[in-house]
Amino acid sequence: ANYYNSETVLWLNGEFVKASEAKMDFYSQSLHYGYAVFEGIRSYKTASGETKIFKAEEHYDRLRNSALSMNMPYTWSNEELIEATYEVLRRNNFQDAYIRPVVYAPMNMSFVQNEVSYIFIEVWEMAPFFGDKLLRIMTSSFQRPNPKAFKITAKASGHYVNSILASQEAKTKGYDEALLTDMNGFAAEGVGANFFYEKDGKLFTPATGNILPGITRATVLELCNELGIEVEEKQITLDEINEADAAFFCGTAAEVIGWESFNDVKFKKNWKETASRKIQQAYLARVTEAEVLTEVIAE
Ligand code: PMP
């Protein structure tokens, strides 16, 4: 994939600069040790034709919380960053896009708290996914980072070494993606998405504590409430997933995407007849501000 070209513009510490001309410090705590925090946000072309960043406040609140929990100075307001993000989108002429802000740190081998942080916001085009593709999922041999070793509710760059290893393992073995367990062996989340399973029309998802509490997960919980679909947050064993009617990942990049099989066992229920698919359609309608999904598809 091409994330940028010679025309691409990013926002770097308050300035709009060409990606191909932007300078990064090779003497950086973030590059050497994975000590950075980031966000994954999306903008959509809405049903009325406007560009809208989905849950921008929630994402920039999480970026701040991630930075502060890593003891990184954070001097930016949401207002300033959201304005900069819309301007980066405008300058690149993007509507459906993935937005990647990163807060990073200068080199400091004594590991004392840094006095400054830096920030950039990159964007690349990403079309929303309206298809019925389903994923083949395996249980990863990697567990999620232990919450006693990392601040796992922060989106810290270093945590994603775990995600990369798990995803590579799954793809090498011929699967689409991995489900990771927590340090106690309970189902936790994907490499970059939360998960739900469905049984007898009711949805279940791991409780917070050993997962990144995703903004999409929160949106799914809201949609369940609105649509009258029962949902429960609880500790989940892998055996329960084996017995499920359906399952899906949800995340900013993944949106809501169903599973075809778990460890080579296909789910019993036809995806198109599940409550999960109703959630998928409602999610896509929500992010594009469409009344109903058919309006989105007709676009
Ligand atoms: N879990 C992990 C490990 C993630 O990286 C992500 C993506 N940020 C999620 C869950 C889903 O979070 P969100 O819905 O906020 O994108």
Side-chain angles (χ1 to χ4, degrees):
N2 283 331
Y3 291 94
Y4 72 100
N5 60 35
S6 57
E7 299 306 311
T8 307
V9 172
L10 55 76
W11 189 78
L12 176 63
N13 300 311
E15 314 269 337
F16 295 95
V17 292
K18 277 196 168 179
S20 57
E21 290 164 13
K23 296 259 191 313
M24 253 295 279
D25 189 354
F26 282 94
Y27 297 77
S28 165
Q29 199 82 331
S30 304
L31 178 63
H32 295 213
Y33 305 116
Y35 183 72
V37 297
F38 69 98
E39 265 305 315
I41 316 175
R42 255 168 113 147
S43 63
Y44 289 91
K45 180 182 177 185
T46 65
S48 65
E50 282 169 284
T51 305
K52 185 76 184 284
I53 302 170
F54 186 64
K55 295 204 169 178
E57 292 282 348
E58 286 87 337
H59 281 282
Y60 279 113
D61 281 345
R62 186 169 67 187
L63 185 65
R64 177 185 305 101
N65 290 335
S66 293
L68 296 180
S69 77
M70 292 288 139
N71 309 312
M72 302 173 88
Y74 193 92
T75 53
W76 308 278
S77 68
N78 284 6
E79 195 188 357
E80 171 186 13
L81 296 179
I82 292 169
E83 196 185 301
T85 307
Y86 274 110
E87 184 60 19
V88 178
L89 289 168
R90 207 187 57 75
R91 291 191 186 211
N92 287 287
N93 203 17
F94 293 162
Q95 291 204 286
D96 290 318
Y98 188 80
I99 298 155
R100 169 53 56 80
V102 180
V103 175
Y104 61 103
M107 194 63 183
N108 159 15
M109 276 192 73
S110 54
F111 289 178
V112 295
Q113 197 167 328
N114 285 299
E115 282 169 16
V116 292
S117 302
Y118 304 118
I119 190 168
F120 59 79
I121 303 171
E122 295 172 349
V123 295
W124 52 87
E125 262 184 319
M126 188 179 279
F129 174 69
F130 294 122
D132 276 311
K133 180 190 154 64
L134 299 172
L135 302 178
R136 299 177 60 250
I137 303 300
M138 66 169 268
T139 307
S140 185
S141 71
F142 296 96
Q143 295 193 324
R144 288 294 295 162
N146 188 325
K148 288 182 177 166
F150 293 93
K151 303 264 187 83
I152 61 154
T153 56
K155 262 184 94 68
S157 296
H159 300 175
Y160 286 80
V161 176
N162 171 258
S163 296
I164 290 169
L165 291 172
S167 194
Q168 288 177 345
E169 178 191 46
K171 284 156 190 164
T172 300
K173 293 191 168 170
Y175 295 87
D176 295 311
E177 223 14 291
L179 176 75
L180 285 77
T181 53
D182 66 20
M183 75 290 189
N184 298 316
F186 292 102
E189 60 192 320
V191 302
N194 293 113
F195 108 99
F196 286 72
Y197 81 80
E198 175 176 338
K199 181 74 181 173
D200 299 329
K202 180 174 172 180
L203 298 185
F204 299 86
T205 196
T208 53
N210 296 330
I211 58 165
L212 184 82
I215 290 163
T216 317
R217 177 182 177 277
T219 308
V220 168
L221 294 174
E222 285 163 26
L223 292 170
C224 283
N225 266 324
E226 290 172 33
L227 297 174
I229 295 169
E230 243 193 299
V231 60
E232 186 181 337
E233 300 172 64
K234 68 179 198 94
Q235 209 167 49
I236 292 170
T237 66
L238 298 181
D239 284 343
E240 285 170 76
I241 308 172
N242 290 329
E243 297 299 313
D245 296 327
F248 62 85
F249 275 136
C250 68
T252 299
E255 298 173 322
V256 173
I257 184 158
W259 295 7
E260 176 182 282
S261 61
F262 181 54
N263 297 323
D264 298 318
V265 179
K266 284 203 173 167
F267 287 93
K268 295 177 209 85
K269 206 156 179 186
N270 180 344
W271 172 254
K272 293 192 176 177
E273 289 159 14
T274 61
S276 300
R277 180 146 186 275
K278 287 202 182 81
I279 292 291
Q280 179 185 45
Q281 298 205 311
Y283 182 75
L284 294 171
R286 177 61 45 90
V287 295
T288 54
E289 300 185 348
E291 287 294 324
V292 289
L293 191 73
T294 47
E295 195 182 324
V296 181
I297 288 169
E299 269 286 302

Short mmCIF file of all heavy atoms in Angstrom, two decimals, residues 39-40 59 62 144 155 160 163 189-194 212-217 250-253, ligand 1:
data_model
loop_
_atom_site.label_atom_id
_atom_site.label_comp_id
_atom_site.label_asym_id
_atom_site.label_seq_id
_atom_site.Cartn_x
_atom_site.Cartn_y
_atom_site.Cartn_z
N GLU A 39 -3.25 7.50 17.71
CA GLU A 39 -4.67 7.23 17.54
C GLU A 39 -4.90 6.66 16.14
O GLU A 39 -4.08 6.86 15.24
CB GLU A 39 -5.52 8.50 17.71
CG GLU A 39 -6.06 8.67 19.11
CD GLU A 39 -6.86 7.46 19.59
OE1 GLU A 39 -7.68 6.93 18.84
OE2 GLU A 39 -6.64 7.04 20.73
N GLY A 40 -6.01 5.99 16.00
CA GLY A 40 -6.51 5.56 14.70
C GLY A 40 -7.93 6.09 14.60
O GLY A 40 -8.80 5.70 15.38
N HIS A 59 -11.68 10.31 20.32
CA HIS A 59 -10.34 9.85 19.93
C HIS A 59 -9.25 10.78 20.47
O HIS A 59 -8.22 10.32 20.95
CB HIS A 59 -10.23 9.74 18.41
CG HIS A 59 -10.85 8.50 17.86
ND1 HIS A 59 -10.23 7.27 17.93
CD2 HIS A 59 -12.05 8.27 17.26
CE1 HIS A 59 -11.01 6.35 17.37
NE2 HIS A 59 -12.12 6.94 16.96
N ARG A 62 -8.79 10.26 24.08
CA ARG A 62 -7.97 9.06 24.36
C ARG A 62 -6.50 9.31 24.07
O ARG A 62 -5.63 8.81 24.79
CB ARG A 62 -8.48 7.86 23.55
CG ARG A 62 -7.76 6.57 23.93
CD ARG A 62 -8.43 5.33 23.36
NE ARG A 62 -8.33 5.28 21.91
CZ ARG A 62 -8.94 4.37 21.15
NH1 ARG A 62 -9.71 3.45 21.71
NH2 ARG A 62 -8.81 4.38 19.84
N ARG A 144 -2.20 -11.15 25.08
CA ARG A 144 -2.12 -9.69 25.14
C ARG A 144 -1.15 -9.29 26.26
O ARG A 144 -0.94 -10.06 27.21
CB ARG A 144 -3.52 -9.11 25.42
CG ARG A 144 -4.46 -9.20 24.23
CD ARG A 144 -4.02 -8.35 23.06
NE ARG A 144 -4.07 -6.93 23.37
CZ ARG A 144 -3.42 -5.99 22.65
NH1 ARG A 144 -2.68 -6.31 21.60
NH2 ARG A 144 -3.53 -4.72 22.98
N LYS A 155 -3.03 3.75 24.06
CA LYS A 155 -2.61 3.28 22.74
C LYS A 155 -1.15 3.67 22.57
O LYS A 155 -0.82 4.69 21.97
CB LYS A 155 -3.47 3.93 21.64
CG LYS A 155 -4.59 3.03 21.16
CD LYS A 155 -5.37 3.63 20.01
CE LYS A 155 -4.86 3.18 18.66
NZ LYS A 155 -5.07 1.77 18.34
N TYR A 160 2.18 -2.49 20.18
CA TYR A 160 1.80 -3.05 18.88
C TYR A 160 2.83 -4.02 18.32
O TYR A 160 2.57 -4.68 17.31
CB TYR A 160 1.42 -1.92 17.91
CG TYR A 160 0.04 -1.42 18.33
CD1 TYR A 160 -0.08 -0.53 19.40
CD2 TYR A 160 -1.11 -1.94 17.78
CE1 TYR A 160 -1.33 -0.16 19.88
CE2 TYR A 160 -2.36 -1.58 18.24
CZ TYR A 160 -2.47 -0.68 19.29
OH TYR A 160 -3.71 -0.33 19.76
N SER A 163 0.90 -7.01 18.68
CA SER A 163 -0.09 -7.14 17.61
C SER A 163 0.53 -7.62 16.31
O SER A 163 -0.03 -8.47 15.61
CB SER A 163 -0.76 -5.78 17.36
OG SER A 163 -1.47 -5.38 18.51
N GLU A 189 -9.05 -9.77 22.82
CA GLU A 189 -9.32 -8.90 21.65
C GLU A 189 -8.45 -9.33 20.49
O GLU A 189 -7.60 -10.21 20.62
CB GLU A 189 -9.07 -7.43 22.02
CG GLU A 189 -7.65 -7.15 22.47
CD GLU A 189 -7.49 -5.76 23.10
OE1 GLU A 189 -8.09 -4.80 22.60
OE2 GLU A 189 -6.74 -5.67 24.09
N GLY A 190 -8.66 -8.67 19.36
CA GLY A 190 -7.83 -8.90 18.19
C GLY A 190 -6.58 -8.04 18.26
O GLY A 190 -6.30 -7.39 19.27
N VAL A 191 -5.82 -8.03 17.18
CA VAL A 191 -4.56 -7.27 17.17
C VAL A 191 -4.82 -5.76 17.13
O VAL A 191 -3.98 -4.97 17.54
CB VAL A 191 -3.65 -7.68 16.00
CG1 VAL A 191 -3.34 -9.17 16.06
CG2 VAL A 191 -4.26 -7.33 14.65
N GLY A 192 -5.99 -5.38 16.62
CA GLY A 192 -6.33 -3.96 16.55
C GLY A 192 -7.82 -3.76 16.55
O GLY A 192 -8.34 -2.83 15.92
N ALA A 193 -8.52 -4.64 17.26
CA ALA A 193 -9.99 -4.56 17.29
C ALA A 193 -10.52 -5.32 18.50
O ALA A 193 -9.90 -6.27 18.96
CB ALA A 193 -10.57 -5.16 16.01
N ASN A 194 -11.66 -4.90 18.99
CA ASN A 194 -12.36 -5.65 20.05
C ASN A 194 -13.23 -6.71 19.40
O ASN A 194 -13.41 -6.72 18.19
CB ASN A 194 -13.20 -4.70 20.90
CG ASN A 194 -12.34 -3.73 21.69
OD1 ASN A 194 -12.35 -2.52 21.45
ND2 ASN A 194 -11.58 -4.26 22.64
N LEU A 212 -8.14 -3.05 25.39
CA LEU A 212 -8.25 -1.64 25.05
C LEU A 212 -9.74 -1.36 24.88
O LEU A 212 -10.39 -1.97 24.03
CB LEU A 212 -7.51 -1.32 23.75
CG LEU A 212 -7.50 0.17 23.40
CD1 LEU A 212 -6.40 0.90 24.17
CD2 LEU A 212 -7.32 0.40 21.92
N PRO A 213 -10.33 -0.49 25.72
CA PRO A 213 -11.77 -0.24 25.59
C PRO A 213 -12.03 0.63 24.36
O PRO A 213 -11.94 1.84 24.41
CB PRO A 213 -12.15 0.48 26.89
CG PRO A 213 -10.85 0.79 27.58
CD PRO A 213 -9.71 0.32 26.76
N GLY A 214 -12.33 -0.03 23.26
CA GLY A 214 -12.42 0.66 21.98
C GLY A 214 -13.60 1.61 21.87
O GLY A 214 -14.64 1.41 22.50
N ILE A 215 -13.42 2.60 21.03
CA ILE A 215 -14.48 3.57 20.76
C ILE A 215 -15.56 2.91 19.88
O ILE A 215 -16.75 3.18 20.04
CB ILE A 215 -13.86 4.84 20.14
CG1 ILE A 215 -13.04 5.56 21.24
CG2 ILE A 215 -14.91 5.76 19.53
CD1 ILE A 215 -12.05 6.58 20.76
N THR A 216 -15.16 2.00 19.01
CA THR A 216 -16.13 1.26 18.21
C THR A 216 -16.93 0.31 19.11
O THR A 216 -18.15 0.16 18.95
CB THR A 216 -15.43 0.46 17.10
OG1 THR A 216 -14.44 1.29 16.51
CG2 THR A 216 -16.42 0.00 16.03
N ARG A 217 -16.25 -0.34 20.05
CA ARG A 217 -16.93 -1.20 21.02
C ARG A 217 -18.01 -0.41 21.75
O ARG A 217 -19.15 -0.88 21.92
CB ARG A 217 -15.88 -1.75 22.01
CG ARG A 217 -16.42 -2.62 23.15
CD ARG A 217 -15.25 -3.02 24.06
NE ARG A 217 -15.68 -3.78 25.22
CZ ARG A 217 -16.15 -3.26 26.35
NH1 ARG A 217 -16.29 -1.94 26.46
NH2 ARG A 217 -16.49 -4.03 27.35
N CYS A 250 -14.60 -5.50 15.98
CA CYS A 250 -15.00 -4.11 15.74
C CYS A 250 -13.87 -3.18 16.14
O CYS A 250 -13.20 -3.37 17.16
CB CYS A 250 -16.29 -3.78 16.49
SG CYS A 250 -16.13 -3.74 18.26
N GLY A 251 -13.62 -2.21 15.30
CA GLY A 251 -12.57 -1.23 15.55
C GLY A 251 -12.67 -0.14 14.51
O GLY A 251 -13.38 -0.32 13.50
N THR A 252 -11.97 0.94 14.73
CA THR A 252 -12.04 2.05 13.79
C THR A 252 -11.68 1.61 12.38
O THR A 252 -12.40 1.91 11.43
CB THR A 252 -11.11 3.18 14.27
OG1 THR A 252 -11.57 3.61 15.54
CG2 THR A 252 -11.12 4.34 13.30
N ALA A 253 -10.58 0.88 12.24
CA ALA A 253 -10.16 0.43 10.91
C ALA A 253 -11.01 -0.74 10.44
O ALA A 253 -11.46 -0.77 9.30
CB ALA A 253 -8.68 0.04 10.93
N1 PMP B 1 -8.05 -3.17 20.57
C1 PMP B 1 -6.85 -2.83 20.08
C2 PMP B 1 -5.65 -3.55 20.56
C3 PMP B 1 -6.74 -1.79 19.13
O1 PMP B 1 -5.55 -1.45 18.64
C4 PMP B 1 -7.90 -1.14 18.68
C5 PMP B 1 -7.81 -0.06 17.64
N2 PMP B 1 -7.60 1.20 18.24
C6 PMP B 1 -9.13 -1.53 19.22
C7 PMP B 1 -9.16 -2.54 20.16
C8 PMP B 1 -10.42 -0.86 18.80
O2 PMP B 1 -10.42 0.46 19.24
P1 PMP B 1 -11.25 1.59 18.48
O3 PMP B 1 -12.62 1.04 18.30
O4 PMP B 1 -11.21 2.73 19.40
O5 PMP B 1 -10.59 1.82 17.18
#
